[in-house]
Amino acid sequence: MRELTQTEAIDLVGRYEAEQAIPEQMRSDVRMLGTLLGQVLRESGSPGLYEDVERLRTATIQAYTDETPEAFARAAAIADSFTVARADEVARAFTAYFHLVNLAEEHQRVRILRERDGRPDREQATDSVAAAFVRLAAEVGDDTALRRLQNMRFHPVFTAHPTEARRRAVSTSIRRLAALLEEHDASRRGGVNQQRADQRRAERRMLEEIDTLWRTAPLRSEKPAPTDEVRAVMAVFDDTLYTAVPHVYRRVDDALQGPAAGGRAPVVRPFVRVGSWVGGDRDGNPFVTASVTRKASAIASEHVLLGLARTAGRIGRTLTLDATTTPPSDALLALWRRLKAADEDAAKDIAKRSPDEPHRRIVLLIARKIEATRARDADLAYADPEHLLADLRVVQDSLVRAGAPRQAYGHLQQLLWQVETYGFHLTELEVRQHSAVHAKVLAELGSGSPRSELAEEVLDVIRTVGFLQERYGPRAAGRYIVSFTQSAEDLAAVHKLAAYAVGPDGRPPVLDVIPLFETFADLQAAPRILAEIVEHPEFAARLEATGRRLEVMLGYSDSSKDVGPVAANLALYEAQAKIAAWADDNRIELTLFHGRGGALGRGGGPANSAIMAQPPHSVDGRFKLTEQGEVIFARYGDPAIAMRHIDQVAAAILLASSPSNEERNRAAAEKYAGVAATLDAASRERFFSLVKAPGFAPWFARVTPMEEIGLLALGSRPARRGLSVESLEDLRAIPWVFAWTQARINLAGWFGLGTALDAVGDEPLLQQAYQEWPLFRTLIDNVAMSLAKTDDRIALHYLELGDRDDLAALVRDEMRVTRDWVVRITGGTELLGNKPVLQRAVKMRSPYVDALSLLQLRALRALREAPEGAPVDPELQRLLLLSVSGVAAGLQNTG
């Protein structure tokens, strides 16, 4: 098949882009950014690079649209024709393109959100907290709805699981480009001549930044240390979360109170709490030590106290309210005397600069006390966040009494919300350790032999929790998660270790020990284990002290790897239903903590639809989940997107426990129990036929870049538990998912579903279940997205790297059957036909991802065909790793 002429290539690319029905503004952004990247490639000093990139781009678009073997073969031949050095450059170019396309798409989302916010009916968006409140109030009454809103809790927990393939330097460059894209938009609002000048200036600066992006090494040279991972998360807090969360509270209050908002006390209470495993999760990560945990808390505290001090100072400088128009209360005057006595010189200077402005004086001195807290000035520092809140409320109350409620409930209220949300610790640091480590250390301590390094480290972690509680407050740390909990004794072990840590005369820290049920068997045993542990003395005492509150964590990743995605989803639902019923029977306020990954094979997917599909009483206004890797930056990297995400999730939390939603889920679970049983049995049998086949694990390692993924410096945590992969148990869930994603098979997200649906066999029944059964609908929609990112032809080439035609046929047959059933159940003629926006995003990227996949295949094939014992070719290995990073950017997920 001949190559297209330049004119034919331009026509093909234009027709392809037009078919995707991309919004005009986004199309313009993509075209402009792509043109600028093309200019950078021409100026790169590598002759012919731009032309080679265009050849491969045109060929993969033609192969994607024609779907002929000849077109695909031509694209593969072009990829194979490059020298390794040229293939390296081409892979980098496509990766840069994906970063720019992702940026344009994110910018379009922000643009739409701002347009929506500008409409007078914004508060009526169907998936906002305000709309959810109206719907809930219609069912349970205004008072009950308000009580539920005020008791609601959304608790994202950021983790350092290695699923962010981008370097931080690349992410920072993209954020700078985002700001320049904003400027480019703003330039369109001036006069014609000014528009042109401003646009040229913005495009020149974007060209400079894209050149920087191109010249920045896309791969980390070494794995980040845990403290590096802490600082990466802090960037999200500084850039978005610190201001975005109180803005969400404000928006909800504005919608609920209407014109009265800001002039009277808010009805909204802070409902977000941010947790972190970064620097606290030591399960399988030997680099997270007690010392690292202390440093992680110190870094987080530094960031939040710096933010609070600056905010208080800014508010203080604007409170230029004269004492005659806004007289101080007696309590405010008493507070002034107290603060003045503690900080005389500063008080004298502030009083001189703020004559007859008592509220301004107080807030400026409060800002100094917050700064002293950050600097650890014991004479001036606040003892804890509660003392700061008390001082701020004195100021607020004085303003209200003086007839200045808008000053009381304006920016000052937002500062109060920030302190209530973040305290002095910012993130509630959680410790996680494997139950087997605890058992080993307890056995050693009980033997009376000298303490090993491991034992000392485990005990020091518990002492560190106590230290953090004393320094930053009880919310700073205390949750202790026991992974692979398989008995009540696994949980009791933590309290026994705490007694060893402090000795007979010491006082152990306050510990909330949280079981993590991960495998299929552990999920089934969960209710029995919980019933046993609540009888344990220390556990029972803590339960009573918290008002009978209990957290239980459910692991999505290992259960999916254990029995397959379909059976795992059903098992998780059943476990939640049983745990929730047990908690209700025992008057326990339950919070289920969902250990969801970013990818669909690890429980990923839209959080709000997953929340609405939960069993009755399993949410009850509280939702906690892990957010990790690329998901953190996708959901919280931009302020507008972060606010929208929090608003959507909070709305789902509020509605999940409405009588109508709980009845819908209960009735559907009963009606389709027989379907669920068939899906469970058939999918599990099919999954086992693959993963339990002799030699499966080595075959999997050969047909995917699984081994090479471990070489990527993604995170501080090792990718696998042992030195080699002889069984699935050796492999962590993230590389299991990541490897299948890279091979364009995404097996971890769908395998077994097609056979299970075949076993049910009743198409009208399954279509009806899709409409009536939220759990099933969520499963089908997630699988549709997973399959849409697969590619049959590329998958075939990966599977051919192995020597097991039987396993390859099993995978391809299941993919075909699953795709066919999902299309029939959802309606239409192709995947995501009922979700056009999502379908457009996938189709827009697919041919470009194909280009990187072909480059990756070329490198992987050469590495696999090398003689046994031969040294690894470093250039091929680098090409492979570059393509892995690029495919992750293109598909917008890793593990």
Side-chain angles (χ1 to χ4, degrees):
M1 187 175 185
R2 69 176 180 85
E3 280 197 37
L4 300 180
T5 65
Q6 185 175 6
T7 302
E8 289 171 331
I10 292 171
D11 181 60
L12 172 67
V13 172
R15 280 187 285 109
Y16 173 75
E17 291 178 348
E19 288 170 2
Q20 305 318 307
I22 303 170
E24 185 51 43
Q25 286 178 302
M26 180 179 165
R27 185 196 303 276
S28 176
D29 289 341
V30 171
R31 188 180 298 121
M32 176 188 66
L33 292 170
T35 300
L36 294 176
L37 176 60
Q39 185 174 341
V40 166
L41 296 180
R42 288 191 185 95
E43 297 172 354
S44 67
S46 181
L49 172 60
Y50 173 78
E51 289 75 17
D52 282 344
V53 169
E54 285 299 293
R55 282 174 62 219
L56 184 57
R57 178 170 84 112
T58 304
T60 51
I61 289 176
Q62 187 176 21
Y64 185 78
T65 53
D66 287 0
E67 295 185 353
T68 61
E70 294 79 13
F72 182 83
R74 189 173 73 80
I78 292 173
D80 289 343
S81 71
F82 298 141
T83 65
V84 177
R86 173 64 91 205
D88 182 303
E89 292 177 315
V90 172
R92 286 174 53 211
F94 275 97
T95 302
Y97 176 77
F98 279 129
H99 291 318
L100 298 177
V101 169
N102 292 343
L103 170 62
E105 191 171 59
E106 180 181 282
H107 188 65
Q108 179 68 10
R109 287 179 64 197
V110 171
R111 190 183 278 132
I112 291 170
L113 290 173
R114 287 177 179 164
E115 290 173 358
R116 184 181 297 162
D117 287 346
R119 294 200 300 263
D121 63 342
R122 181 189 67 79
E123 67 274 15
Q124 296 305 317
T126 56
D127 53 359
S128 68
V129 173
F133 178 85
V134 172
R135 288 175 57 188
L136 182 63
E139 292 189 43
V140 300
D142 288 349
D143 291 344
T144 300
L146 182 59
R147 186 173 67 253
R148 291 189 181 184
L149 173 66
Q150 292 178 337
N151 290 327
M152 181 173 66
R153 180 63 47 84
F154 171 45
H155 196 150
V157 178
F158 295 162
T159 81
H161 285 46
T163 64
E164 171 58 275
R166 293 184 306 191
R167 285 185 63 205
R168 188 175 170 189
V170 171
S171 299
T172 303
S173 179
I174 293 168
R175 293 262 67 84
R176 291 194 296 264
L177 273 167
L180 291 172
L181 207 51
E182 289 275 3
E183 289 182 25
H184 191 267
D185 268 7
S187 69
R188 296 168 178 163
R189 294 191 282 271
V192 174
N193 291 333
Q194 187 63 42
Q195 273 187 27
R196 289 173 180 165
D198 289 346
Q199 284 180 355
R200 282 196 299 270
R201 188 180 305 111
E203 287 177 14
R204 176 188 58 76
R205 292 171 64 196
M206 279 192 277
L207 184 62
E208 178 185 351
E209 193 59 59
I210 292 171
D211 187 61
T212 298
L213 179 65
W214 163 252
R215 295 175 185 276
T216 299
L219 301 176
R220 298 180 181 95
S221 58
E222 57 186 33
K223 284 180 175 288
T227 49
D228 296 328
E229 294 169 330
V230 173
R231 290 187 176 91
V233 171
M234 289 303 103
V236 174
F237 169 76
D238 293 340
D239 294 343
T240 60
L241 279 182
Y242 180 68
T243 53
V245 170
H247 281 155
V248 172
Y249 301 154
R250 177 66 72 192
R251 285 184 175 190
V252 176
D253 199 64
D254 286 349
L256 295 182
Q257 297 215 72
R264 64 185 184 193
V267 297
V268 173
R269 294 175 185 168
F271 56 77
V272 175
R273 294 292 182 271
V274 181
S276 177
W277 282 11
V278 189
D281 179 13
R282 58 246 312 129
D283 178 13
N285 192 342
F287 305 109
V288 177
T289 63
S291 173
V292 165
T293 300
R294 288 193 184 208
K295 289 176 184 175
S297 282
I299 292 169
S301 179
E302 168 80 10
H303 279 257
V304 73
L305 288 169
L306 191 61
L308 293 174
R310 287 174 176 170
T311 303
R314 185 169 60 251
I315 292 170
R317 288 188 293 274
T318 63
L319 278 177
T320 54
L321 314 178
D322 191 80
T324 55
T325 61
T326 317
S329 66
D330 291 342
L332 191 85
L333 293 173
L335 177 59
W336 166 252
R337 290 191 292 271
R338 179 165 60 81
L339 295 178
K340 179 182 177 182
D343 197 6
E344 289 186 11
D345 292 342
K348 183 178 179 180
D349 180 62
I350 288 171
K352 184 178 179 180
R353 289 186 285 112
S354 309
D356 299 319
E357 294 170 346
H359 296 91
R360 185 172 191 257
R361 294 178 182 180
I362 292 285
V363 177
L364 289 174
L365 281 180
I366 287 174
R368 281 183 53 81
K369 279 181 71 67
I370 299 172
E371 176 57 30
T373 308
R374 185 181 74 84
R376 300 181 187 174
D377 178 351
D379 293 336
L380 193 57
Y382 278 108
D384 51 48
E386 285 65 37
H387 284 82
L388 169 58
L389 286 169
D391 286 356
L392 291 173
R393 286 178 179 133
V394 168
V395 178
Q396 188 177 59
D397 180 67
S398 178
L399 289 167
V400 172
R401 289 172 183 269
R406 298 218 170 266
Q407 303 300 320
Y409 300 123
H411 289 297
L412 182 63
Q413 179 61 53
Q414 292 195 201
L415 175 58
L416 277 157
W417 278 332
Q418 285 168 320
V419 178
E420 289 174 310
T421 299
Y422 300 120
F424 289 168
H425 56 277
L426 173 56
T427 58
E428 300 177 12
L429 191 64
E430 301 185 356
V431 170
R432 183 173 75 135
Q433 184 56 281
H434 199 290
S435 58
V437 173
H438 297 151
K440 181 178 180 180
V441 171
L442 276 176
E444 178 187 317
L445 295 172
S447 71
S449 58
R451 292 180 179 178
S452 65
E453 186 177 336
L454 175 63
E456 286 292 356
E457 173 62 26
V458 168
L459 298 181
D460 200 22
V461 168
I462 294 174
R463 297 185 197 106
T464 296
V465 171
F467 169 81
L468 298 179
Q469 290 177 347
E470 290 179 12
R471 170 157 287 183
Y472 305 115
R475 279 177 50 200
R479 287 182 173 85
Y480 197 116
I481 296 152
V482 181
S483 53
F484 280 89
T485 297
Q486 297 180 324
S487 69
E489 190 57 35
D490 288 337
L491 303 174
V494 178
H495 291 290
K496 293 178 182 177
L497 289 166
Y500 277 108
V502 299
D505 300 322
R507 185 165 62 92
V510 177
L511 293 173
D512 290 305
V513 182
I514 300 171
L516 169 50
F517 300 112
E518 301 183 75
T519 67
F520 180 74
D522 295 341
L523 288 169
Q524 290 186 311
R528 174 184 56 76
I529 294 171
L530 292 171
E532 291 176 15
I533 195 59
V534 294
E535 301 298 326
H536 187 274
E538 285 90 351
F539 214 94
R542 181 61 185 156
L543 199 60
E544 294 306 317
T546 60
R548 298 188 67 74
R549 292 177 184 161
L550 177 67
E551 274 189 30
V552 176
M553 186 172 182
L554 305 172
Y556 286 64
S557 304
D558 281 283
S559 57
S560 182
K561 187 164 68 76
D562 196 24
V563 293
V566 180
N569 268 276
L570 296 169
L572 283 159
Y573 185 92
E574 183 181 0
Q576 289 175 74
K578 289 180 178 178
I579 293 169
W582 167 83
D584 196 43
D585 290 343
N586 289 274
R587 298 178 297 103
I588 288 173
E589 184 180 297
L590 174 70
T591 297
L592 287 174
F593 180 8
H594 301 264
R596 292 158 50 96
L600 301 173
R602 301 186 56 241
N608 49 329
S609 59
I611 293 167
M612 294 293 287
Q614 300 302 303
H617 303 299
S618 65
V619 177
D620 278 348
R622 299 172 297 279
F623 190 72
K624 184 177 178 182
L625 81 165
T626 53
E627 303 273 38
Q628 56 201 41
E630 78 278 0
V631 172
I632 294 175
F633 293 94
R635 290 177 175 168
Y636 304 99
D638 179 272
I641 292 173
M643 287 188 281
R644 172 62 172 155
H645 172 67
I646 293 169
D647 194 26
Q648 281 184 308
V649 171
I653 294 170
L654 200 58
L655 279 178
S657 302
S658 64
S660 61
N661 191 68
E662 290 204 332
E663 174 57 25
R664 181 189 183 196
N665 286 329
R666 184 200 60 76
E670 288 184 5
K671 180 175 181 179
Y672 296 105
V675 173
T678 302
L679 293 174
D680 174 50
S683 68
R684 201 177 334 164
E685 182 180 356
R686 182 68 160 174
F687 185 75
F688 288 163
S689 72
L690 176 68
V691 301
K692 293 185 181 296
F696 168 78
W699 174 80
F700 159 64
R702 184 170 178 81
V703 302
T704 70
M706 189 278 295
E707 294 282 357
E708 289 76 15
I709 284 169
L711 301 174
L712 276 175
L714 297 184
S716 63
R717 193 171 185 238
R720 58 179 183 253
R721 296 182 172 94
L723 296 176
S724 63
V725 177
E726 296 300 329
S727 70
L728 278 187
E729 287 70 29
D730 298 325
L731 190 67
R732 296 192 185 282
I734 291 170
W736 162 252
V737 174
F738 198 169
W740 285 120
T741 302
Q742 288 289 317
R744 307 293 298 282
I745 297 172
N746 283 352
L747 179 142
W750 54 264
F751 192 88
L753 177 62
T755 294
L757 295 171
D758 247 353
V760 176
D762 188 334
E763 186 174 331
L765 176 65
L766 290 169
Q767 289 173 335
Q768 186 179 12
Y770 181 71
Q771 298 300 324
E772 298 178 351
W773 185 14
L775 176 66
F776 184 68
R777 185 182 188 90
T778 300
L779 174 64
I780 294 294
D781 286 346
N782 284 345
V783 167
M785 168 133 95
S786 185
L787 285 170
K789 293 183 178 183
T790 64
D791 187 283
D792 241 349
R793 298 167 302 175
I794 289 174
L796 173 62
H797 284 274
Y798 277 94
L799 295 172
E800 286 176 344
L801 294 173
D803 55 359
R804 293 290 300 275
D805 292 345
D806 57 329
L807 297 183
L810 193 61
V811 171
R812 296 191 71 213
D813 287 348
E814 188 65 21
M815 183 188 289
R816 176 185 51 77
V817 172
T818 305
R819 183 184 286 116
D820 177 62
W821 267 112
V822 169
V823 169
R824 281 192 281 158
I825 289 170
T826 57
T829 58
E830 57 183 342
L831 291 166
L832 300 178
N834 60 337
K835 295 183 182 296
V837 175
L838 188 56
Q839 185 187 61
R840 181 191 71 213
V842 173
K843 284 188 171 184
M844 181 176 68
R845 287 173 172 78
S846 288
Y848 299 90
V849 179
D850 292 351
L852 282 163
S853 292
L854 290 172
L855 292 172
Q856 184 179 118
L857 266 167
R858 172 243 178 100
L860 191 60
R861 189 182 299 115
L863 290 169
R864 294 290 182 268
E865 292 174 354
E868 189 172 346
V872 174
D873 185 330
E875 291 188 350
L876 282 172
Q877 192 173 74
R878 174 180 159 80
L879 173 59
L880 180 66
L881 297 180
L882 282 170
S883 66
V884 166
S885 177
V887 170
L891 296 177
Q892 292 188 297
N893 64 268
T894 54

